[in-house]
């Protein structure tokens, strides 16, 4: 999910509480180069709103960080605004950052990581993509697309590895393998 797809996926979210949450999740996941498990594990204490409208986010634990040293990531202003919109509507003092919504009410628990995969696939279909293209999207699509966008923007692999929390250049290379094909588009 490169930025172009992200923009399309955000645009098709409904003007409902679910749409507020989904826009915030998609944008935050992309900006953080987050794994879906990292995204749904975030709590309100992991997010700091900065004076410039962006966010500082602590990802406490990941697949490649089982000791829980964590990594800090930053977001765009758009993500800061989408998170503000979501949290203003949600308003309850729950720790999970992204919650299920049942009959218009927020539940005090984390979403499952499969909900991220379903959101991405649903957004791809909602954006009117060809069914075969829509099926190619997965729970990792935000991470892959953001890494490819960083490469196309001229960031070196060391910077991309730090941004996404990769420990292995071999794994990152698999994420970036198709990015160079799209540089000239």
């Amino acid at each position: 999910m490169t930025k172009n797809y992200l923009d399309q996926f955000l645009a098709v979210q409904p003007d409902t509480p679910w749409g507020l949450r989904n826009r915030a999740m998609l944008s935050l996941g992309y900006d953080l180069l987050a794994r879906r498990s990292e995204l749904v594990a975030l709590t309100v204490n992991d997010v700091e709103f900065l004076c410039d409208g962006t966010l500082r986010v602590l990802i406490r634990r990941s697949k490649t960080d089982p000791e829980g040293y964590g990594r800090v990531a930053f977001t765009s202003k758009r993500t800061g605004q989408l998170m503000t919109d979501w949290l203003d509507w949600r308003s309850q003092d729950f720790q999970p950052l992204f919650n299920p919504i049942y009959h218009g009410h927020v539940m005090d628990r984390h979403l499952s990581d499969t909900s991220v995969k379903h959101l991405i696939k649903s957004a791809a279909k909602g954006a009117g993509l060809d069914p075969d293209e829509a099926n190619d999207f997965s729970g990792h699509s935000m991470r892959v697309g953001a890494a490819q966008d960083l490469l196309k923007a001229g960031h070196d692999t060391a910077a991309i590895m730090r941004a996404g929390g990769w420990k292995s250049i071999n794994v990152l290379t698999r994420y970036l393998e198709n990015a160079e094909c799209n540089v000239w588009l």
Side-chain angles (χ1 to χ4, degrees), residues 1-9 26 30 36 114 116-146 148:
M1 180 175 38
T2 59
K3 186 177 179 316
N4 290 337
Y5 285 116
L6 174 64
D7 293 343
Q8 291 177 55
F9 293 3
L26 289 167
Y30 173 88
R36 60 188 183 169
T114 57
V116 177
K117 176 182 73 173
H118 293 303
L119 166 59
I120 293 168
K121 287 194 173 286
S122 171
K125 290 175 185 165
L129 300 182
D130 176 87
D132 289 334
E133 185 179 10
N135 284 331
D136 287 341
F137 285 88
S138 73
H140 254 49
S141 291
M142 295 177 294
R143 188 166 166 78
V144 173
Q148 291 178 355

Side-chain angles (χ1 to χ4, degrees), residues 98-113:
F98 295 113
N99 319 73
I101 303 168
Y102 184 71
H103 292 292
H105 299 283
V106 178
M107 309 285 295
D108 187 10
R109 63 182 173 88
H110 291 272
L111 285 171
S112 71
D113 65 350

